[in-house]
Amino acid sequence: MPRYEYRCRSCGTTFELNRPMAESSSPAECPAGHDDTVKLLSAVAVGGTASAAAAPSAGGGCCGGGCCA
């Protein structure tokens, strides 16, 4: 189940809730009992094992073709 981060506008507390995606925008009550909360945007970490091929080195400085003097 996804975890969403919220901040209480009344007391400034930041907290997380596990809830279904369909309920991500539903009102959330902060741990202190306040109802004035907002969902925060969170960065998602995605792991992978794909290897990126290194770009070939053309040489020649800034333009890559040797036309810069």
Side-chain angles (χ1 to χ4, degrees):
M1 188 173 314
R3 176 172 283 214
Y4 298 97
E5 190 174 24
Y6 298 85
R7 175 166 296 168
C8 178
R9 292 181 187 173
S10 298
C11 66
T13 301
T14 300
F15 59 98
E16 296 178 344
L17 292 176
N18 291 330
R19 48 177 27 181
M21 291 174 75
E23 295 179 18
S24 68
S25 296
S26 298
E29 185 177 295
C30 90
H34 303 118
D35 291 328
D36 189 15
T37 59
V38 62
K39 186 175 113 179
L40 302 177
L41 296 176
S42 302
V44 177
V46 178
T49 58
S51 62
S57 175
C62 63
C63 59
C67 60
C68 298

